[in-house]
Amino acid sequence: MRNTVKIAAVLLIITACIVASILFFQNYNVAVLNPQGEIADKQRNLMIFTVLLALVVVVPVFTMLALFSWKYREGNKKAKYRPDWAGNKWLEMLWWGIPCVIIAVLSVITWQTSHELDPYKPIQSNEKPVEVQVVALQWKWLFIYPEYDVASVNKLVFPEKTPVNFTLTSDAPMNSFWIPSLGSQVYAMSGMSTKLHLIANAKGEYEGYSANISGDGFADMKFSAESISHEGFDLWVDHIKQTSSDITYASYEVLAKPNSISAPLYYKLGDSGLYDKIVMKYMTPGAGNPHPTEDTPQENQQHDIPDNSEMIHTNHMDMEGM
């Protein structure tokens, strides 16, 4: 009777865990499991495949662990002592062969997906890609649209079903650019340019993060990535050009000082070579120091940043219905 109760308790706990997991995934949006782009979709499928493959080993191992612990417990006098199983070639082939087959399968999958999901690999599409230069600052993200002569901070807007070609660098300690709903994260490092290609399958607004701890303001280093219609994107660009101030290298240096912002900022691009200058400042001997100093507290710098966020946000909301 006591054994039956123990078995029932174990089964009840397992069932409760399964039900809790189902309820969790039904009620909470786990971005990497709810992809909104081609790259994220392939990565989600890869994760599911590797987990299922791992379960081929994990489930039998833990099942046998429980069964053997129960069967060969000290109080079970009916269990048979089988020393002849030690070194049994068939059993050895079984528990070494299965992991080897799994590793071989994983090797092939890893080779294929490493090339297929290479962040530098352009996405094939009939739509002309949008070029976006990304600069990781302390603690905010600057997005430069060189083809449209506009820029934004902590707000990334692009047309739906259109590849976005990112070129990334950092004017701060190393950071990691990540939009979980759309796919890969890529590091942004000062003095270097890295690349990433993403696409959104439909309209939507997604959260973007820094996935690399970078100091006091790391937790607030977030941005909004919004996929809108092509017409809405054109209006968004035109509105920034009509209502925003220029960002030049001089005003950029003010923006780049360590602080966090509470709302997105928008600019006309007053210096077409801004991104290259940011990268090259670390290539010139003795030039550039992106790191914060103790005598430049963020609360003393917030007011220096030109803030046109409220005006742009209000007008952008009018475009969302497009």
Side-chain angles (χ1 to χ4, degrees):
M1 184 64 182
R2 289 182 58 187
N3 293 337
T4 303
V5 172
K6 290 179 181 178
I7 294 174
V10 171
L11 293 176
L12 183 61
I13 291 172
I14 294 174
T15 303
C17 291
I18 294 174
V19 172
S21 299
I22 293 173
L23 292 175
F24 175 81
F25 287 112
Q26 284 182 339
N27 292 283
Y28 292 92
N29 178 29
V30 181
V32 294
L33 298 179
N34 184 25
Q36 301 299 316
E38 177 183 324
I39 302 299
D41 188 56
K42 291 179 179 177
Q43 292 176 336
R44 189 273 311 271
N45 294 340
L46 178 61
M47 285 191 291
I48 292 175
F49 175 79
T50 52
V51 168
L52 293 176
L53 199 59
L55 289 177
V56 173
V57 171
V58 172
V59 171
V61 166
F62 281 91
T63 301
M64 286 190 291
L65 174 64
L67 288 176
F68 289 177
S69 299
W70 178 257
K71 184 174 181 178
Y72 296 105
R73 67 190 185 279
E74 183 179 7
N76 185 11
K77 306 301 181 185
K78 298 180 180 178
K80 294 181 179 180
Y81 179 52
R82 302 294 300 270
D84 53 311
W85 281 9
N88 185 291
K89 64 179 182 181
W90 296 109
L91 292 176
E92 293 284 348
M93 289 174 60
L94 179 65
W95 53 60
W96 282 106
I98 293 176
C100 287
V101 171
I102 291 174
I103 290 173
V105 172
L106 278 177
S107 299
V108 174
I109 298 299
T110 301
W111 174 269
Q112 292 177 337
T113 54
S114 294
H115 289 81
E116 184 181 10
L117 298 174
D118 182 353
Y120 276 65
K121 184 178 179 180
I123 296 173
Q124 299 299 318
S125 172
N126 294 327
E127 297 288 345
K128 182 179 181 291
V130 174
E131 303 289 337
V132 179
Q133 297 167 333
V134 183
V135 182
L137 302 173
Q138 281 185 308
W139 291 275
K140 46 194 172 287
W141 294 94
L142 171 62
F143 302 106
I144 302 171
Y145 296 74
E147 298 170 316
Y148 300 94
D149 293 328
V150 297
S152 60
V153 179
N154 284 1
K155 183 70 176 181
L156 173 65
V157 178
F158 51 88
E160 62 173 327
K161 301 177 181 176
T162 302
V164 184
N165 298 348
F166 295 101
T167 306
L168 305 98
T169 191
S170 173
D171 194 7
M174 185 175 75
N175 257 290
S176 179
F177 177 85
W178 190 28
I179 307 173
S181 294
L182 300 185
S184 312
Q185 65 87 22
V186 164
Y187 287 108
M189 293 165 281
S190 53
M192 298 177 63
S193 274
T194 50
K195 291 186 178 296
L196 175 67
H197 299 84
L198 297 176
I199 188 172
N201 292 337
K203 298 176 187 175
E205 188 165 6
Y206 318 108
E207 292 184 322
Y209 302 94
S210 167
N212 191 77
I213 294 176
S214 56
D216 293 344
F218 162 74
D220 296 322
M221 195 171 172
K222 302 175 183 176
F223 63 92
S224 170
E226 188 170 1
S227 168
I228 61 177
S229 66
H230 287 264
E231 295 80 6
F233 178 74
D234 292 338
L235 289 173
W236 180 76
V237 171
D238 290 341
H239 191 74
I240 292 177
K241 288 182 176 179
Q242 295 171 10
T243 59
S244 303
S245 58
D246 286 351
I247 182 168
T248 61
Y249 190 74
S251 56
Y252 163 78
E253 288 189 310
V254 177
L255 174 69
K257 292 180 179 179
N259 57 32
S260 298
I261 61 173
S262 56
L265 304 172
Y266 303 91
Y267 301 99
K268 283 189 295 184
L269 189 59
D271 185 341
S272 60
L274 179 60
Y275 180 85
D276 293 335
K277 290 178 180 176
I278 296 170
V279 175
M280 289 306 296
K281 66 187 284 189
Y282 293 89
M283 307 300 286
T284 304
N289 179 14
H291 305 293
T293 57
E294 294 181 357
D295 59 348
T296 56
Q298 64 183 43
E299 59 270 23
N300 293 337
Q301 302 165 8
Q302 179 72 47
H303 66 280
D304 293 331
I305 300 176
D307 187 353
N308 56 7
S309 59
E310 183 175 352
M311 179 169 54
I312 294 295
H313 177 71
T314 301
N315 286 279
H316 178 54
M317 293 294 290
D318 295 337
M319 303 173 189
E320 289 179 344
M322 299 193 65

